[in-house]
Amino acid sequence: MIIAEQKPLDEIKSMIADYQKVLILGCGTCVTICFAGGEKEVGILASALRMATRLDGQDKEFIEATVQRQCEYEFNEEVADLVKEADVVLSLACGIGVQTMNEQFPEKLTLPGLNTKFLGQPTEQGVWDERCLACGDCVLYKTGGICPIARCSKSLLNGPCGGSQNGKCEINPEVDCAWQLIYDRLKALGKLDLMMEVKSPKDWSASHAGGPGKIVREDLRL
Amino acid sequence: MKSDSNLEKVLSAGHFAVTAELGPPKNADPEVVRKKARMLKGCADAFNVTDGQTAVVRMASWAACLIQKEEGLDPIVQMTCRDRNRIALQMDVLGAAALGINNILCLSGDHMSFGNHPESKGVYDIDSIQLVKMVKDMRDEKKFQCGEEMKVEPRLFIGAAANPFADPFDYRPYRLAKKVAAGADFIQTQIVFNVPKFREYMKRVCDLGLHEKVYILAGVAPIKSSGAARYMASQVPGMDVPQEFVDRMVAAIKGIPSPKSIADPEKKKEVRRRRREAWQAEGIKICAEIIQQVREIPGVAGVHIMAIEWEEAVHEIVSQAGLLPRPTV
Amino acid sequence: MNRDENTPGISPMEEMSPPCQVACPLHTDVRGYVAAIARGDFEAAYAIAREPNPLIYVCSHVCAHPCEEECRRGQVDEPVAIAALKRFAAERHDLSLGHGPPKPNVEPKEQKVAIIGAGPAGLTAAYDLARMGYPVTVFEALPEPGGMLRVGLPKYRLPREIIDVDIKGILEADVEIKTNVCIGRDMTLSDLKEQGYEAIFIAIGAQQSRALRIEGMDLDGVLLGVDFLRDVNQGRAVKLGRRVLVIGGGNVAVDVARSAVRQGRPGSEKEVHMICLESREEMPAHEWEIIEAQREGIILHPSLGPKRILGRDGKVVGLETIVCSSVFDSEGRFNPTFVPDSESVIEGDTIILAIGQASDLSFLRPEDGIELTRRRTIKVDPQTLATTAPGIFAGGEVTTGPGSVVGSMALGRRAAISIDTYLRGEDLTGLQFGEWRELDDLPPKTVERIKPLAREPMPMLPLEERAFNYEEVELGYTLAMAMRAAHRCLTCGGGAYVDTGKCAACLTCVRVCPYDVPIIKEGAAFIDPTECQACGVCASECPAKAITMKLYSEDQLYQEIDALFADAPAENPEPLIVGFCCLYCAYAADEWAESVRAQLPPNVRTLDVVCTSRIDIQHLLRAFELGADGVFVAGCVGDECRHTEKAANRIQGKVQFVKEVLDQVGIGSERLSLYDIPSAEWGTVPRIAQEMTERIRALGPNPL
Ligand SMILES: Cc1cc2nc3c(=O)[nH]c(=O)nc-3n(C[C@H](O)[C@H](O)[C@H](O)COP(=O)(O)OP(=O)(O)OC[C@H]3O[C@@H](n4cnc5c(N)ncnc54)[C@H](O)[C@@H]3O)c2cc1C
Ligand code: SF4
Ligand code: SF4
Ligand code: SF4
């Protein structure tokens, strides 16, 4: 799922500086699960902003709401009245939700309250790890189900590089070396031969490198 | 011959080859390169210029190579995948070859987070093995990576790096095999301090028959001080410095008082100098010894001396190792 | 009188009621009042306990408390001391606030109702009907109302002023009680009808002792238990000999025996024996009653049947007994078998029979049209309590045979509803009383994780102070005891409920619950109320705010925080400190909150929470938003927690988070502190308050 985290309060404060009535709009899906933008986080941020802006001598009003999925018009429609009422919307959705709001309510600016970080897995309560780069050309079948594109700092296809040490990546002893993981997994699976072939350069055009992604399913269109 | 490389000639003539590193400056002053080139001339058969080592901005490798070439050296241009996509890499390969550079060392490159621009966006379009293959195809097939053909190919002697001390140890010889399969002509390894471990590595490499397909140059480096020895032993990942060498560096300055205990600035300076000289002498000695040891290891075709920011030491090392004068072929 | 309103959108399982409430014939919201005591809100506790119970004071002393038998805490160690806690709440109640809820605003009704018998059944029916607006008259044969409470129950268990308190409350509800009117002797049922009573409720109880058909019953020195107690209770002289033999093994027999012990004057030598058919283990009296009886010197002779009473010169000299090998037959019917040739004699000069009570139905005439059962009780429809005569209802011991106060009251209540239905001209046969859905037993995995907590013993009058007087034996809980006792309640079914429409299935609740209750079912969290221990961790952590605590919700805590600031002076020379204190540990010791709180300076205001795991990040922020200069949380952080370490530790993460927010906001993290107070250090709250005050004074006021 999409993993995000809240922007620093100061940055949010400066974004909303020119507005009096702010609708803080959460999203009930990914960002709820990663404790960045669900109903609870909306409440916490509203409380923090009420205090912070009052300390700055401003008299702002904060409206709180959360929709089920901010990347869909139908769900956002439920808060159309609140959007109208507010001077600006501070979205606690991922970048997709923020853009949906801007598109759907063009007369109102929607600001991002979160930094959308990556596609990841909640590996334990309070910990999220990047797992996929949406490269558009999945290689997991060649790498024992561990993604070298997202999890190797250099996205190597013929890793591990010389920086792999004790199973960790050269960039940080906290980061697992993806290729060590791949090696171990393939070894366990008896498929080390997959590590012997020289893998050709990746076709990055399937990813964002090929321009903004788009999928159209004619069969599904109405 | 695949190229006009002096290194290739030395190696194919069966000589024990020596290469050395020439660090480019963090500015646009060509004199730095020239001075180092003059100092190094005659000490080795070819000279590597690093490409943004540890992701710190320095003079472009190809440019410093050109300067040393003007001084009559045989340069090895280092090229990493960190900063260039396959388009830029191929353009630089063509350019370097056109400038008369005969050797290339293909690398993945240290990650941006080490350097002085950690905010930069890494490229890593292809990896080092793919780079080796790409250059080889350009040279031998006259083909760009996309398959398009070219008229005049870059005639480069293709090198790659290997770190025998990185993990997983068991896989390292196979990764080397991949580089060979991709088309590497020579290999320069990470600095060897732990000779027994390197010997074990080389044994596995020879078992795979790789030494017959590629020239392997063992990386060596002089230690500057006991502090440096300790630092490399404990702090630098992938660097395996046996305790023995740390102890020897400490013993080297035995009998010289600590500068901290001396008040008179003149005397202090003097003591500092004596310590430095004692350390350097020992560091060079160890390095020469290691060269002699690795020379005995089957499959080792030469050494690559990385006297980082201490190019002055190279002459003494090569001389102590009995590798002077360098052959002319 | 189901207090479980069904909130839409919330899991239907919510209708499951705790077994204590189901077991209580009046369906008292036990969980509710015990929880209120646990939180120190004693008046709320009284109000909850009083709502269904006009004889709350009486019940708080003598209720047979079937609730405790069902209490799920009993699966872990021992049941919650539900009855003792009710007594505590009643004793703490300020009667100047009134006895019970004010009379509802109803249309006064015309139709008069007569009630025969001012025992628990009659009084409850009268109270309920009066509150519905009916003019109600209770006819009582005895000089004072109360029924068996007055003339049966011994005073050492039920002081008479206790009864008077409840009677007063009932009278205040506009119930008219006519004493010294015996129906059958002074008036007949038809007289009542003629006087315009449109409905009659017969609640005459079972006031007669059953006799034995054995030789020697006519001897001098043979007494009937109920008569004996009535005489004692009404202060009439009772002549007992030196060796008193009480026949019977039930609660009434114990009351008789223990009263016999008390009769006489200091120095008079007396021995009291109890002889019963049942074995010691089978004795129907409550175990604690039997133990007290033994402590008071009563000698038990179980498994013996009375064969004949031996006499000399017309006076009792002993009882011949025979060994009883079993009381009930294989089908569970009363059918004692005796061991042949096992006769023996117990010497004694007084014999009191306490083998059961029956109703005196002699006042009924054939023309009344009231049929009886084979057990010589009045025959009624079990749902509506209607007798075979139209407009005449009956309930209490007159229909059930010997029972309990609360059981009789429940029938009084039922009768009131039926009579109202009848008088409104509605079809009685349509009247249905709902079934209660009960929470299942705790599953073994949950029992395993609940920390055992010893039941608080009831303080008792020392043995030597009981002799020859009727001072009450059970003394009631002190405040500290009541707190400890109340904290044992598992708040069954009062815990977490998921709004599945909001749940994002994030698994947080699944992971944080110290009892492993939540699961994801059909795409949303499901919290089985059978298992939930109402610790509140999940609700305070749920990022979708999909979880509500049924009892003591997050919103209630917000309201309490707001209330703290309601009267805060605008200009305060001292910093305003808000403390969130865990009731389980921050105060958990002899003196508890009251005295601890009394030591707090006025600038420090505390909020008592049931476990710090209930506190949520926004609660802490709220206190600052409202202007607190400093906030502290006091509770145990580690394994002391009433729940588990896992629950207790969560507060650390929350406090850390709020500190970061405070720094970002510009209020400063040093204004929030977490104090780890294991229960042994309960007294430290005032010290913490002082320390906080000084520290915050130095920091200056909340910049807000
Ligand atoms: C010794 C003893 C101890 C007990 N201890 C407990 C205990 O600890 N806890 C508990 O829960 N239960 C206890 N009980 C049982 C409890 O007292 C009864 O279940 C309860 O009182 C029954 O209530 P009732 O209203 O049905 O009848 P009663 O309480 O018997 O009331 C009936 C009333 O009707 C009156 N009456 C009878 N005939 C007429 C008439 N013809 N005209 C006018 N008035 C009439 C009687 O004088 C009496 O006041 C005890 C009973 C006894 C005998
Ligand atoms: S633990 Fe509390 S709620 Fe549960 S049955 Fe016992 S008294 Fe009732
Ligand atoms: S914590 Fe809340 S949102 Fe998450 S699974 Fe539980 S109920 Fe659903
Ligand atoms: S966390 Fe506590 S309140 Fe929530 S389900 Fe578990 S026991 Fe119940």
Side-chain angles (χ1 to χ4, degrees), chain A residues 124-200:
Chain A
E124 58 179 276
Q125 186 69 6
V127 179
W128 296 272
D129 280 300
E130 183 161 14
R131 286 289 184 261
C132 174
L133 218 66
C135 76
D137 181 16
C138 190
V139 298
L140 288 170
Y141 66 103
K142 292 182 189 160
T143 56
I146 294 154
C147 177
I149 311 299
R151 298 173 70 180
C152 165
S153 308
K154 303 174 183 173
S155 297
L156 302 181
L157 279 175
N158 294 289
C161 76
S164 173
Q165 202 59 217
N166 303 322
K168 299 296 170 183
C169 172
E170 68 173 26
I171 67 154
N172 183 337
E174 305 282 296
V175 176
D176 286 333
C177 169
W179 277 101
Q180 174 78 52
L181 298 176
I182 293 169
Y183 175 80
D184 293 342
R185 182 94 211 279
L186 290 176
K187 191 172 170 188
L189 293 172
K191 284 184 175 296
L192 271 181
D193 51 312
L194 282 172
M195 288 229 1
M196 301 304 166
E197 71 193 40
V198 175
K199 288 185 204 84
S200 318

Side-chain angles (χ1 to χ4, degrees), chain C residues 18-21 30-32 34 67-68 70-74 79-82 439 486 488-494:
Chain C
C20 51
Q21 185 173 21
V30 171
R31 180 184 72 195
V34 173
C67 52
E68 291 191 19
E70 298 303 317
C71 171
R72 300 203 310 164
R73 172 51 94 170
V80 171
I82 300 173
L439 275 177
R488 297 179 65 245
C489 173
L490 307 176
T491 327
C492 305

